[in-house]
Amino acid sequence: MSRLRIASDNHPGVDDVDARMMERAIELARAAASEGEVPVGAVVFRGEEILGEAANNRESCCDPTGHAEMVALRAAGERLGSWRLEGCSMVVTLEPCPMCAGALVNARLKRLVFGAFDPKAGACTSLFDIPGDRRLNHRVEMIGGFEESRCAELLRAFFRRRRAEKRRTG
């Protein structure tokens, strides 16, 4: 049984800190888009302290693991001097994929707040429920759909531009 809560207009379970962190993740996603990266931003935090933040960097780093979530988790682990991110939260503009969802569980993250759902690769309820799977040794509290329309529009606009560029050059 999934532990996902859907954020509605009054965003139950989401507070002002989450909202500020999502604003930062959206800024990071916009910056990624301007660099030709898929616009996804992630912030790992505890209380009001940002421990790690990142945008997708797969293209610029030629790294298949260069997802915003993975890079932000690494930065947070380095900052804390531990791979265990107990008591930490993450906001991310897009529902994590299987690789990133598995990393959240392995990092012992407390909670995840994400924006847009990903029906093609989402592993936090869309296709799989890795952070809520009771067979695993840790579960992550999840809130999905926070600032969903803003996050989804970043992705739609990016791929519209990409398709238009491909038509012009191809």
Side-chain angles (χ1 to χ4, degrees):
M1 181 73 151
S2 173
R3 295 169 37 142
L4 175 73
R5 290 186 288 162
I6 305 296
S8 64
D9 289 341
N10 61 359
H11 309 299
V14 177
D15 62 21
D16 289 343
V17 174
D18 297 321
R20 286 195 309 275
M21 298 301 170
M22 182 60 86
E23 286 301 322
R24 179 63 184 144
I26 290 170
E27 289 174 16
L28 292 164
R30 285 188 180 123
S34 71
E35 297 293 320
E37 299 281 355
V38 174
V40 177
V43 178
V44 176
F45 60 101
R46 187 168 53 201
E48 295 193 25
E49 179 185 10
I50 293 176
L51 301 170
E53 62 179 21
N56 275 1
N57 67 12
R58 290 192 317 170
E59 301 299 329
S60 62
C61 292
C62 301
D63 180 358
T65 69
H67 291 200
E69 302 95 296
M70 300 295 284
V71 180
L73 287 171
R74 278 188 214 110
E78 287 175 15
R79 174 104 184 253
L80 293 174
S82 175
W83 60 267
R84 287 184 175 90
L85 302 181
E86 296 168 333
C88 295
S89 297
M90 173 185 281
V91 296
V92 62
T93 56
L94 180 65
E95 178 183 3
C97 72
M99 172 182 68
C100 295
L104 300 177
V105 170
N106 286 326
R108 310 299 192 266
L109 199 75
K110 180 179 180 183
R111 45 189 300 274
L112 167 70
V113 177
F114 66 87
F117 286 85
D118 187 349
K120 293 183 178 180
C124 296
T125 64
S126 289
L127 293 179
F128 307 102
D129 183 13
I130 292 171
D133 192 323
R134 295 203 172 279
R135 296 170 295 177
L136 299 174
N137 64 335
H138 179 77
R139 279 163 296 291
V140 179
E141 176 188 341
M142 296 180 286
I143 299 171
F146 181 61
E147 296 289 358
E148 181 176 12
S149 60
R150 290 176 65 203
C151 294
E153 182 52 35
L154 284 171
L155 291 157
R156 281 192 296 270
F158 175 81
F159 287 110
R160 270 194 306 267
R161 282 191 306 274
R162 184 183 266 182
R163 286 188 298 274
E165 289 169 6
K166 195 171 191 176
R167 282 192 297 272
R168 281 193 300 272
T169 61

